[in-house]
Amino acid sequence: MEELCTGLCSVLADSGADAGLALFLSLLVGVLLVSGVPLITVILLIWIERKVAARIQDRIGPNRVGPIGLLQTIADMIKLLSKEDITPTAADRILYNAAPLVSFASVVLLWAVIPFTPFHFGVDLEIGALYFVAVASFGTLAIMAAGWASNNKYALLGAFRVVALLVSYEVPLVFALLVPVLLAGSMSLVDIVNAQNGMWFVILSPLAFVIFYISSQAETGRAPFDLIEAESELVAGFNIEYSGMKFGMFFAAEFLHVFTNGIIMAILFFGGWMGPFYYESPLIAFAWLGAKGGLIYFTTLWLRNTVPRLRIDQIMAFNWKFLVPLSIANLIVVSFVLKVMQELGFAPGDMLNASFAELLPTTIILLLFNGAMIFYLLGILRKRGREARREAHGAHANFAQAGSAAGH
Amino acid sequence: MELNAISIGFVVFTIFTLGGAIGVVTTRNLFQGTIWLMVSLFGVAGYFILLSAPFLAAVQILVYIGAIAILITFAVMLTRSIARIKERYIRLLPSFIGSLALFLILLLGVTVPIFGAHAPDSIPDYVASTRDLGAALVDENGYVVPFLLASVLLTAAMIGAIFIARDETA
């Protein structure tokens, strides 16, 4: 009990409060702060997303409510709250109403382990990286429960696709996530950030970052992997029967999940709060994390708004025949090379306190291996692309021939 | 049992585990049954946290709820008549004998020192970390043989599954 009581708790205890009450109050404030950050952020995120999408599509976007449309989301929220809250009569009432809550909670829970600054984080779990994957699996569950409980065939079809998509892309996601864990020698997110003091992991293993980026784009169900709620095929997918704030919860969960993934990638691969002068003040450290996360978030929005949707068979083939073998090969190569380097004495045994100079040989060797793998992959992709183009061309020629034969 | 955070947690997770298990066998709806199963598995994950094994708790949620239970739901969705199952399982006597035998074996295993000594150890001060768990799995004095055997078994099962599911003509 004693060592738990620090900071606000000790202040409260010194001012005469009961020790148990002081601990409870300080923990409560911590929980409220950590869960409050994502709740406030999501209001801004929806506005950012709409503005970015509008700019990419050569529109202006929300610009009526408040300065440059900043209060648009507040207006939307009031609208959603005042809408009729419909539960279809044939729906499974409990599951139907619980699903949006679970969906949103699964994203907010992720923020419990995110280290904002060297000193500010909800909790530094020994298993932080694993916690991230485990909690995210609740999101899959929520979407599927929503799809089934709605008792609507489009919702159910959407739910089917969710299982196929999310469960499949979790495999390369976890394999890519293992690379930073391996490099840092710890699953704690705080340790992973500290281990990047000498060198960011994105430089040590760019391939792992790319795999993680693609898989997390799929995990959030964003284009080109947006077949969960493919409007033109499924009307709206799993959330078709939802109205009012229950729909709003799914909506907010998705937007927040994308940004959370940006922050997670910044922590795992881009050194989290690391940056010039981060040790001067926690605010500077926090700003670095926000800037890196925000930049990655922006690229995901960019991708979402510029690429078309893939077919489900293309998505599955891409995952199981390309991403999964690649992520496994990458993990084996990285772990093998790292171990050999450590045995030969070129790499520091403990990454946590390694400096830039100590890491330089490891970086160069790992980069070389990554480069070789990328080069080989690009060769495969080029060959595949050429075959696909020839096939498409052939099909087109056959079609034209058939057409002209019918004409005669 | 004194009233503290751990005992309250134990009661809550027991309600989750047993309540979920009762839900699984009593519901007339297959999909709800799988959801109850997840509730039960979640309670077991809670036990692991109470036993200072956060790694196992996360793995429990990731593997059992995130993968296995989700696949069960997927299979359930592909079956007909999910909602109102009319058939009742009527062979109650064999299942009663089976569960009683299982319960007795468990009870004997816990109380009587048949499978090695089970003198109640005092709770050690040292709490094993995830690192210790990983080291024990590959340590030759630890669990390397069971670990390798399990790996071989799983690989064989996977190859078998692929072989069965493979299209003959392809």
Side-chain angles (χ1 to χ4, degrees):
Chain A
M1 214 55 131
E2 290 298 312
E3 67 270 23
L4 280 174
C5 193
T6 54
L8 179 67
C9 173
S10 62
V11 173
L12 281 173
D14 289 345
S15 63
D18 180 56
L21 185 72
L23 182 65
F24 177 74
L25 280 179
S26 62
L27 283 178
L28 186 70
V29 169
V31 167
L32 287 180
L33 274 178
V34 168
S35 58
V37 169
L39 291 177
I40 303 294
T41 323
V42 74
I43 297 177
L44 192 66
L45 288 178
I46 295 176
W47 176 80
I48 293 174
E49 168 127 19
R50 291 183 63 182
K51 270 291 191 200
V52 170
R55 285 295 168 194
I56 290 171
Q57 295 160 358
D58 203 10
R59 294 183 285 118
I60 297 170
N63 66 342
R64 295 289 159 189
V65 192
I68 53 171
L70 261 174
L71 299 178
Q72 180 66 46
T73 315
I74 311 268
D76 285 346
M77 262 169 51
I78 294 169
K79 185 194 77 173
L80 282 174
L81 280 170
S82 63
K83 281 201 168 185
E84 190 188 351
D85 184 39
I86 301 169
T87 306
T89 41
D92 189 316
R93 292 196 78 84
I94 298 171
L95 275 181
Y96 179 84
N97 290 311
L101 293 175
V102 176
S103 174
F104 196 68
S106 76
V107 183
V108 174
L109 277 175
L110 290 180
W111 288 74
V113 291
I114 289 178
F116 297 106
T117 76
F119 316 106
H120 300 83
F121 40 80
V123 57
D124 178 23
L125 284 185
E126 190 193 22
I127 49 147
L130 198 65
Y131 173 89
F132 163 70
V133 190
V135 167
S137 68
F138 280 116
T140 318
L141 171 64
I143 293 180
M144 205 163 53
W148 183 81
S150 301
N151 208 350
N152 176 305
K153 64 180 166 193
Y154 292 115
L156 190 61
L157 277 175
F160 271 126
R161 291 181 172 197
V162 171
V163 185
L165 179 75
L166 299 195
V167 173
S168 309
Y169 276 84
E170 219 166 80
V171 179
L173 184 88
V174 172
F175 277 119
L177 180 70
L178 277 178
V179 171
V181 169
L182 201 83
L183 290 171
S186 166
M187 279 196 280
S188 146
L189 292 184
V190 176
D191 284 352
I192 288 179
V193 175
N194 279 326
Q196 296 179 70
N197 197 11
M199 184 71 75
W200 290 358
F201 288 161
V202 68
I203 302 169
L204 288 172
S205 182
L207 211 50
F209 170 66
V210 173
I211 297 168
F212 193 89
Y213 186 92
I214 295 173
S215 320
S216 58
Q217 184 82 355
E219 286 284 312
T220 48
R222 285 303 181 87
F225 306 102
D226 62 340
L227 44 78
I228 292 171
E229 44 173 308
E231 291 90 343
S232 46
E233 300 161 24
L234 293 174
V235 195
F238 68 94
N239 58 19
I240 182 170
E241 293 285 358
Y242 283 87
S243 68
M245 206 52 210
K246 280 188 282 193
F247 169 73
M249 298 278 271
F250 279 121
F251 196 64
E254 184 191 323
F255 281 57
L256 189 58
H257 197 178
V258 180
F259 183 66
T260 312
N261 271 336
I263 293 283
I264 293 272
M265 276 185 263
I267 287 168
L268 290 178
F269 293 100
F270 290 88
W273 65 70
M274 299 279 176
F277 310 114
Y278 78 88
Y279 39 80
E280 297 279 341
S281 146
L283 268 181
I284 299 177
F286 185 64
W288 274 115
L289 178 67
K292 289 171 188 171
L295 200 65
I296 300 168
Y297 172 65
F298 174 72
T299 62
T300 61
L301 294 189
W302 189 2
L303 189 69
R304 184 210 179 183
N305 286 297
T306 43
V307 291
R309 182 187 313 134
L310 293 170
R311 282 199 322 264
I312 189 157
D313 60 318
Q314 291 170 329
I315 286 179
M316 286 297 125
F318 176 68
N319 180 53
W320 291 109
K321 294 181 184 168
F322 184 76
L323 270 189
V324 171
L326 175 64
S327 56
I328 295 174
N330 183 43
L331 182 65
I332 292 172
V333 167
V334 168
S335 51
F336 182 73
V337 171
L338 192 69
K339 200 71 209 171
V340 168
M341 296 285 287
Q342 278 175 350
E343 290 297 314
L344 292 178
F346 289 124
D350 180 19
M351 298 288 277
L352 282 181
N353 301 309
S355 67
F356 178 76
E358 285 173 315
L359 278 168
L360 207 57
T362 327
T363 312
I364 293 170
I365 298 290
L366 275 175
L367 254 185
L368 275 179
F369 272 91
N370 262 288
M373 281 171 75
I374 291 171
F375 189 73
Y376 176 68
L377 280 173
L378 285 179
I380 295 180
L381 284 179
R382 193 187 291 137
K383 201 166 131 247
R384 285 277 178 80
R386 206 181 289 138
E387 277 169 16
R389 272 193 297 277
R390 194 181 299 137
E391 218 166 84
H393 188 73
H396 186 253
N398 283 343
F399 183 71
Q401 221 166 18
S404 67
H408 288 293
Chain B
M1 199 194 310
E2 58 179 312
L3 191 73
N4 56 21
I6 291 180
S7 60
I8 293 172
F10 181 77
V11 169
V12 169
F13 289 128
T14 306
I15 291 171
F16 268 99
T17 312
L18 292 183
I22 291 169
V24 172
V25 290
T26 53
T27 181
R28 300 269 102 197
N29 183 317
L30 280 182
F31 191 87
Q32 281 176 358
T34 57
I35 300 286
W36 280 121
L37 180 66
M38 290 183 200
V39 171
S40 184
L41 293 170
F42 183 78
V44 176
Y47 285 152
F48 281 126
I49 294 202
L50 292 182
L51 292 168
S52 315
F55 178 78
L56 291 181
V59 167
Q60 168 84 12
I61 288 180
L62 181 64
V63 173
Y64 284 92
I65 296 180
I68 292 180
I70 297 254
L71 285 183
I72 292 177
T73 2
F74 196 51
V76 163
M77 281 180 175
L78 290 172
T79 53
R80 285 200 301 159
S81 74
I82 298 170
R84 281 172 294 278
I85 306 167
K86 293 205 180 63
E87 292 88 3
R88 278 181 178 276
Y89 186 74
I90 42 168
R91 269 163 285 173
L92 289 179
L93 190 66
S95 25
F96 177 73
I97 293 170
S99 48
L100 193 71
L102 197 64
F103 182 70
L104 283 179
I105 290 171
L106 278 176
L107 203 66
L108 282 176
V110 172
T111 53
V112 183
I114 300 174
F115 312 108
H118 277 273
D121 302 328
S122 58
I123 300 166
D125 296 331
Y126 173 71
V127 176
S129 67
T130 310
R131 197 177 284 269
D132 299 328
L133 182 72
L137 280 180
V138 289
D139 186 13
E140 51 201 81
N141 300 320
Y143 300 96
V144 69
V145 175
F147 179 65
L148 284 179
L149 277 178
S151 318
V152 170
L153 186 70
L154 287 174
T155 314
M158 201 156 73
I159 293 170
I162 293 169
F163 184 76
I164 291 170
R166 219 170 71 131
D167 193 0
E168 290 292 326
T169 53

